[in-house]
Amino acid sequence: MTVKVEPFKIKVVEPIKLISKNERLKKMEEARYNIFRLKGEDVYIDLLTDSGTSAMSDHQWAGIMEGDESYAGSKSFFNLERVIKKITGFEYVVPTHQGRPAENILFSQLIKPGDVVPGNAHFDSTQAHIIHKGGKAVNLLLDEAYDPKTYHPFKGNVNIEQLENLIKSQRDNIPFFLMTVTNNTIGGQPVSMENLRRTRKLLSGFGIPLYIDAARFAENAYFIKLREPGYGEKEVKDIVREMFSYADGCIMSAKKDGLVNIGGFIALNDKKLYEQCCELLILLEGFITYGGMAGRDLEALARGLEEVIEEDYLAYRIDQVNYLGKKLDDAGIPIVQPPGGHGIYIDAKSVFPRIPQSQFPAYTLVVEMYIEAGVRAAEIGSVAFAKKDEITGKTDYPRLELTRLAVPRRVYTYRHMDFVAEGVIHVAKKKDKVKGFKIAYEPKTLRHFLADFARVE
Ligand code: PLI
């Protein structure tokens, strides 16, 4: 059989409704064109994020009933701890309610003002936490990662040569290196095992620790199985274990590959660092056996982490995203190649060549997709990442202008993907008529969440 199907039956459904185009236009105006202001019920297919949007299995829901709500010593925490230790090989587990408190707690121990934190591609909240601690975040990707059309099996790899140069010039200011698997900002692209191994070797020579941002660790491992010579016959759990063996610890937003709606953790080998993190955890999140999560959430996460490395799940997951990518590619829509693990990233500069970066082509595509098809996507372009120099007034634009269609895990069917592709294709056909946007109001940080937009006349 060649037809791929979802490896599950659907036991509960949540109705969705496509409101009329006129209503969608009105909702957009009322939201002052900020898609974060739209109500979920007014969105037909929501590809804003794959974070916290997974559908849980019956086994996880059963775990919700069995969750142990003890303030201290919850059985559910010990279940979670056992699973994380087994999957990652790390000794100590610090639970947090999502990814950014994990970043905040770990970085508070490791970063001092003036430090430089290199990584392959820091996520925006990660970068914000590095800056918050007085550090500077540096992304060191391959040149191929910035060219959407070029095929490279591991566009998430760190550029080892650039890393070596940075270390030689800044050794005393580098507290650690962070490898994000898969990279979220430039296409959901994986990091190869060889790149992890070489990075570890280089860092070890200088005594610099390596941490992994493990939000999408299972998807990364599956790409290694599919694409890296020597790994095709290995089990995903062994690939995962090898990936983590090159690191000193990890932080994880479990809202992605944890297959849960809330959760996160830090996992470490260093006992002293673990104890320091626990002290801050109690101050910021809660006691060390719940860290801001309910017992039921700990239980669901313990089960989700085991399900996410099941190979039939991963085969379906990667195939479904790839299916959407292929539909778009076949219709001539320019996407980041190859398709990523958790979503398709559209090269919006090529979709709207007449809209300059100062008028936000990737954000324009997000708005048009909602108006055209009720589909909500996210912008990973100039709204989120352009930086204005306060002194010269000059704006520094990101190299890529991407619209991300993030696919929630186990939520939508292949048929939903057909609908999404049709919506994008309709918008692209109108490319000469579509006008860009300007920002009418913006807050000081992370402006995409709270800005107001207006159409350029
Ligand atoms: O949203 P949090 O705080 O649970 O996690 C922050 C975070 C850390 N690392 C990476 C690679 C992420 O992708 C990430 C969050 N991503 C979101 C919310 C997304 O929409 O991609």
Side-chain angles (χ1 to χ4, degrees):
M1 296 293 288
T2 52
V3 175
K4 298 260 172 47
V5 295
E6 291 79 5
F8 47 80
K9 293 191 286 185
I10 297 167
K11 197 178 296 207
V12 174
V13 295
E14 181 183 342
I16 51 174
K17 191 169 173 293
L18 182 60
I19 58 173
S20 72
K21 191 163 181 179
N22 271 345
E23 284 174 296
R24 297 197 295 274
L25 275 164
K26 197 163 149 257
K27 298 287 176 192
M28 257 300 168
E29 272 172 31
E30 283 167 9
R32 301 188 292 286
Y33 292 94
N34 188 325
I35 44 122
F36 286 98
R37 256 187 224 114
L38 290 175
K39 289 195 180 127
E41 65 196 24
D42 296 328
V43 176
Y44 190 44
I45 297 181
D46 204 347
L47 306 188
L48 178 67
T49 179
D50 63 318
S51 181
T53 51
S54 296
M56 293 202 291
S57 67
D58 51 356
H59 184 53
Q60 286 177 289
W61 279 108
I64 292 277
M65 286 307 297
E66 288 173 22
D68 175 356
E69 303 301 340
S70 303
Y71 187 98
S74 159
K75 179 178 74 184
S76 301
F77 171 71
F78 296 116
N79 284 344
L80 176 62
E81 186 186 46
R82 179 180 46 76
V83 171
I84 294 173
K85 282 164 106 171
K86 185 176 73 180
I87 289 177
T88 65
F90 296 125
E91 270 300 303
Y92 303 103
V93 174
V94 182
T96 60
H97 82 273
Q98 62 182 86
R100 60 204 80 179
E103 291 163 358
N104 188 18
I105 290 169
L106 184 69
F107 296 175
S108 296
Q109 306 305 329
L110 299 178
I111 302 174
K112 55 179 192 335
D115 279 352
V116 176
V117 182
N120 54 338
H122 298 298
F123 181 63
D124 64 3
S125 70
T126 320
Q127 176 169 316
H129 275 293
I130 293 169
I131 294 168
H132 183 249
K133 309 288 170 288
K136 188 174 164 213
V138 178
N139 294 320
L140 303 169
L141 277 166
L142 306 178
D143 284 343
E144 288 92 329
Y146 295 103
D147 180 1
K149 289 191 202 73
T150 310
Y151 179 91
H152 185 294
F154 293 104
K155 273 186 171 174
N157 282 354
V158 63
N159 186 322
I160 304 254
E161 204 179 308
Q162 284 180 8
L163 177 60
E164 187 163 7
N165 290 339
L166 181 79
I167 295 175
K168 284 185 177 149
S169 63
Q170 299 268 3
R171 167 61 197 105
D172 294 340
N173 302 321
I174 301 179
F176 64 95
F177 173 90
L178 188 70
M179 191 76 98
T180 302
V181 298
T182 56
N183 82 4
N184 184 13
T185 41
I186 319 221
Q189 303 290 319
V191 175
S192 71
M193 196 71 89
E194 194 210 357
N195 191 254
L196 264 166
R197 201 179 299 126
R198 285 181 61 203
T199 307
R200 166 89 248 182
K201 193 158 176 258
L202 173 68
L203 295 169
S204 294
F206 294 91
I208 299 172
L210 188 162
Y211 290 92
I212 290 180
D213 178 336
R216 300 176 180 86
F217 74 96
E219 289 165 7
N220 197 94
Y222 197 68
F223 278 124
I224 291 177
K225 183 177 169 85
L226 291 181
R227 297 179 186 166
E228 193 158 349
Y231 286 90
E233 298 303 314
K234 293 218 159 115
E235 286 188 46
V236 168
K237 70 174 174 34
D238 296 330
I239 298 175
V240 166
R241 195 64 190 247
E242 185 181 341
M243 280 166 52
F244 285 115
S245 75
Y246 299 119
D248 296 278
C250 73
I251 43 178
M252 178 169 185
S253 167
K255 297 171 73 175
K256 286 84 170 169
D257 271 353
L259 295 178
V260 287
N261 308 116
I262 197 75
F265 62 87
I266 307 168
L268 301 164
N269 278 333
D270 180 332
K271 185 158 187 265
K272 189 158 167 267
L273 183 57
Y274 162 73
E275 286 166 355
Q276 288 165 343
C277 287
C278 285
E279 281 184 34
L280 204 53
L281 181 80
I282 291 170
L283 191 67
L284 298 176
E285 292 275 282
F287 189 58
I288 58 172
T289 57
Y290 75 87
M293 276 187 275
R296 62 184 81 108
D297 298 327
L298 298 164
E299 193 63 48
L301 176 53
R303 296 175 186 212
L305 285 170
E306 297 213 281
E307 289 177 13
V308 80
I309 53 175
E310 284 173 11
E311 304 207 4
D312 57 351
Y313 160 73
L314 281 168
Y316 139 78
R317 165 73 176 156
I318 300 300
D319 184 72
Q320 192 187 44
V321 174
N322 194 56
Y323 175 85
L324 174 60
K326 185 161 181 323
K327 285 234 140 199
L328 295 173
D329 187 43
D330 287 350
I333 306 292
I335 62 167
V336 172
Q337 292 286 5
H342 65 289
I344 296 301
Y345 291 59
I346 301 172
D347 174 12
K349 269 194 221 169
S350 301
V351 175
F352 294 133
R354 293 170 179 216
I355 302 180
Q357 272 190 287
S358 57
Q359 294 176 13
F360 311 118
Y363 194 73
T364 304
L365 182 54
V366 170
V367 174
E368 291 304 320
M369 276 172 50
Y370 176 73
I371 293 171
E372 186 64 33
V375 174
R376 179 159 63 173
E379 194 249 19
I380 310 236
S382 295
V383 175
F385 290 109
K387 279 191 219 93
K388 191 168 175 186
D389 189 307
E390 295 299 335
I391 300 161
T392 63
K394 199 174 157 279
T395 302
D396 197 8
Y397 289 99
R399 285 166 78 174
L400 293 177
E401 201 62 47
L402 303 173
T403 301
R404 182 186 74 173
L405 308 172
V407 183
R409 294 167 182 79
R410 302 192 293 207
V411 171
Y412 294 115
T413 64
Y414 284 83
R415 194 76 173 144
H416 289 107
M417 298 300 113
D418 291 342
F419 183 92
V420 171
E422 200 174 308
V424 177
I425 294 163
H426 274 288
V427 173
K429 281 196 186 128
K430 297 193 304 189
K431 65 179 197 292
D432 295 330
K433 292 198 201 115
V434 173
K435 294 213 166 97
F437 280 88
K438 59 188 176 194
I439 291 184
Y441 157 79
E442 64 180 288
K444 283 206 182 71
T445 50
L446 296 170
R447 66 178 176 179
H448 43 295
F449 292 111
L450 298 172
D452 294 345
F453 299 87
R455 273 282 182 203
V456 172
E457 289 313 322

